[in-house]
Amino acid sequence: MSAAASTPSLFGFIGRSGAGKTTLILDVIARLQARGFVVSAIKRAHDGLDLDHPGKDSWRMREAGCRK
């Protein structure tokens, strides 16, 4: 395996609340995993601690297959 093949890629998604970012991200996660990639996600919470509760974005990303 070459060094380039093992270098992780980083993608960023920004937008207003309700714009569909989570829906897009969940689709990207599924498509990358279908191609054999290991996917992780980092979510920024600007209004306090956002724990991993059912239905929340971070929970939905984990359900989509993101790893800790």
Side-chain angles (χ1 to χ4, degrees), residues 43-53 56 58:
K43 181 169 182 339
R44 179 185 172 275
H46 62 85
D47 55 358
L49 188 60
D50 185 22
L51 297 176
D52 210 15
H53 297 292
K56 300 297 277 180
S58 55

Side-chain angles (χ1 to χ4, degrees), residues 24-39:
L24 172 64
I25 292 166
L26 294 175
D27 186 49
V28 170
I29 291 168
R31 290 171 184 261
L32 289 172
Q33 286 185 326
R35 289 169 176 77
F37 290 93
V38 174
V39 181

